[in-house]
Amino acid sequence: MVSKVKVFILLLCVGVFVVLRERVAEVSLENFSPFHDTSPCACGKCLSEDDVWFTQRLNKSVEPFLSAKYSLSEAAFRWWKGLQAEKRNSTSYNATVDNLFKTFPPTPDVEASSDRCRTCAVVGNSGNLNGSHYGPLIDFHDVIIRMNSGRTKGYEADVGKRTTHHVMYPESAVDLDNTTHLVLVPFKIQDLEWLIKAFTTGFYATSYMPVKSHIKANKDLVMVVNPAFMRYVHDTWLEKKGRYPSTGFMALVLALHICDEVSVFGYGADRNGNWSHYWEKLKNLKLKTGLHPGSHEYEIIKQLAEKETVMFYPGW
């Protein structure tokens, strides 16, 4: 009796093995078919496929980040100079950028295209994240982009706990751990000077609000958004609405340039129509989005979601 049971178990195991082997062979054939190889990415559906509206806006020739070899055009500099009334000329800008790459990597740390699907979560700071329980879903992504004063401690259930890239400008800067990329969005030459001095001698100049004199972060993971990319986001994506894009919208377009699949969390007003942050109690009920075309940016995100270009999680 015992031997019959053993024979039955053995036959069952062999049967399962055969079925699995056949399935693996089928998957392998699918993966190595000539049709599979024509896909520009390793995802089931690539960002650039079957969407004329999107492909007319996504310009991969615009470099998202500065590098030691990149030269900013005079036209792009003049546009950027007007964002916050920069008074210095392009010669001062170029000298500052040269000094920048004496301290930080001359080439941005952008992962090259691979044979795997790179998923990205762009996590905004909207109060609509409260009670969302999106945390585990956010942490499941390969790249997790946060911005400005966004924090995770105490809010892990709703916003997750991992961060790979943190987008900021000096007035919104926060300390980072040793594994997170600091992504600077510069609005003036002083912002580039702040980045250098905050890692070295300390920054003690004045701005329109107090800024950190020193910052804790890994200098080998510092990346600086290209002013020409900022102009491209404003002119092409926002059709020149608003004075300049919000940090959050620039982070989203950055994700569209470096990721294969993009999921968007924490954008837009909360359930009461207020533009609030998930970590604070809103005191000013009339608070809006300032110089940024917040409502227009939100409509573009919804349009991207309707076209299934991004996955949009609106919160609760």
Side-chain angles (χ1 to χ4, degrees):
M1 181 68 181
V2 174
S3 353
K4 288 183 179 180
V5 172
K6 289 182 178 179
V7 170
F8 175 77
I9 293 174
L10 177 61
L11 291 174
L12 182 62
C13 291
V14 170
V16 171
F17 173 77
V18 171
V19 171
L20 289 175
R21 184 178 62 181
E22 290 175 351
R23 179 57 189 146
V24 168
E26 290 173 2
V27 172
S28 298
L29 287 173
E30 290 171 1
N31 288 341
F32 290 98
S33 72
F35 300 103
H36 178 82
D37 289 341
T38 60
S39 177
C41 73
C43 306
K45 179 181 178 182
C46 304
L47 282 173
S48 59
E49 291 179 340
D50 306 323
D51 188 344
V52 175
W53 178 89
F54 176 68
T55 54
Q56 287 176 340
R57 285 158 178 77
L58 188 73
N59 184 355
K60 286 294 186 79
S61 69
V62 182
E63 296 187 31
F65 303 103
L66 288 179
S67 68
K69 295 181 179 179
Y70 180 82
S71 179
L72 184 68
S73 72
E74 187 64 32
F77 174 77
R78 286 197 301 270
W79 175 86
W80 181 75
K81 180 178 179 178
L83 297 184
Q84 292 189 4
E86 174 60 59
K87 296 180 180 179
R88 287 178 279 181
N89 59 24
S90 58
T91 301
S92 297
Y93 166 83
N94 290 327
T96 306
V97 171
D98 288 342
N99 286 332
L100 186 77
F101 291 115
K102 292 176 183 178
T103 303
F104 304 107
T107 304
D109 182 27
V110 180
E111 185 180 346
S113 298
S114 66
D115 57 356
R116 64 186 297 269
C117 180
R118 186 185 304 116
T119 62
C120 291
V122 187
V123 187
N125 295 328
S126 173
N128 64 35
L129 282 171
N130 285 320
S132 67
H133 302 289
Y134 286 152
L137 177 59
I138 290 171
D139 284 339
F140 186 73
H141 291 75
D142 300 315
V143 175
I144 301 172
I145 303 173
R146 303 186 193 273
M147 60 215 64
N148 298 331
S149 300
R151 71 267 327 251
T152 58
K153 189 174 181 180
Y155 302 92
E156 294 88 347
D158 294 332
V159 307
K161 59 184 178 181
R162 293 181 54 236
T163 306
T164 64
H165 295 70
H166 200 115
V167 182
M168 63 181 77
Y169 51 93
E171 291 81 5
S172 72
V174 294
D175 291 333
L176 305 176
D177 62 34
N178 200 48
T179 64
T180 300
H181 294 76
L182 189 163
V183 182
L184 179 76
V185 179
F187 292 94
K188 50 191 180 296
I189 294 174
Q190 181 175 279
D191 293 352
L192 302 173
E193 294 171 333
W194 168 83
L195 185 63
I196 299 168
K197 293 178 180 179
F199 275 88
T200 54
T201 60
F203 179 83
Y204 300 102
T206 59
S207 183
Y208 58 84
M209 63 179 290
V211 297
K212 292 170 70 67
S213 59
H214 293 84
I215 191 166
K216 295 178 181 178
N218 187 338
K219 72 179 182 65
D220 294 326
L221 297 181
V222 167
M223 306 162 77
V224 180
V225 175
N226 181 358
F229 184 84
M230 299 166 65
R231 183 190 186 194
Y232 146 73
V233 174
H234 179 257
D235 291 359
T236 302
W237 282 94
L238 296 180
E239 299 173 320
K240 301 184 179 181
K241 290 182 173 63
R243 188 168 175 183
Y244 49 81
S246 68
T247 312
F249 194 78
M250 278 192 280
L252 170 59
V253 181
L254 277 173
L256 293 173
H257 276 251
I258 66 175
C259 307
D260 299 315
E261 286 185 356
V262 176
S263 298
V264 181
F265 305 82
Y267 278 64
D270 62 19
R271 70 186 71 186
N272 298 315
N274 298 315
W275 293 82
S276 59
H277 297 143
Y278 61 82
W279 63 85
E280 61 189 13
K281 185 175 180 180
L282 186 64
K283 297 178 181 178
N284 181 6
L285 298 179
K286 295 182 179 180
L287 182 67
K288 299 299 178 184
T289 58
L291 299 171
H292 313 306
S295 297
H296 183 60
E297 291 179 351
Y298 188 72
E299 289 303 316
I300 293 176
I301 295 171
K302 288 201 300 182
Q303 191 167 358
L304 288 168
E306 289 168 1
K307 293 174 174 291
E308 299 183 348
T309 303
V310 304
M311 292 291 294
F312 183 38
Y313 298 87
W316 302 92

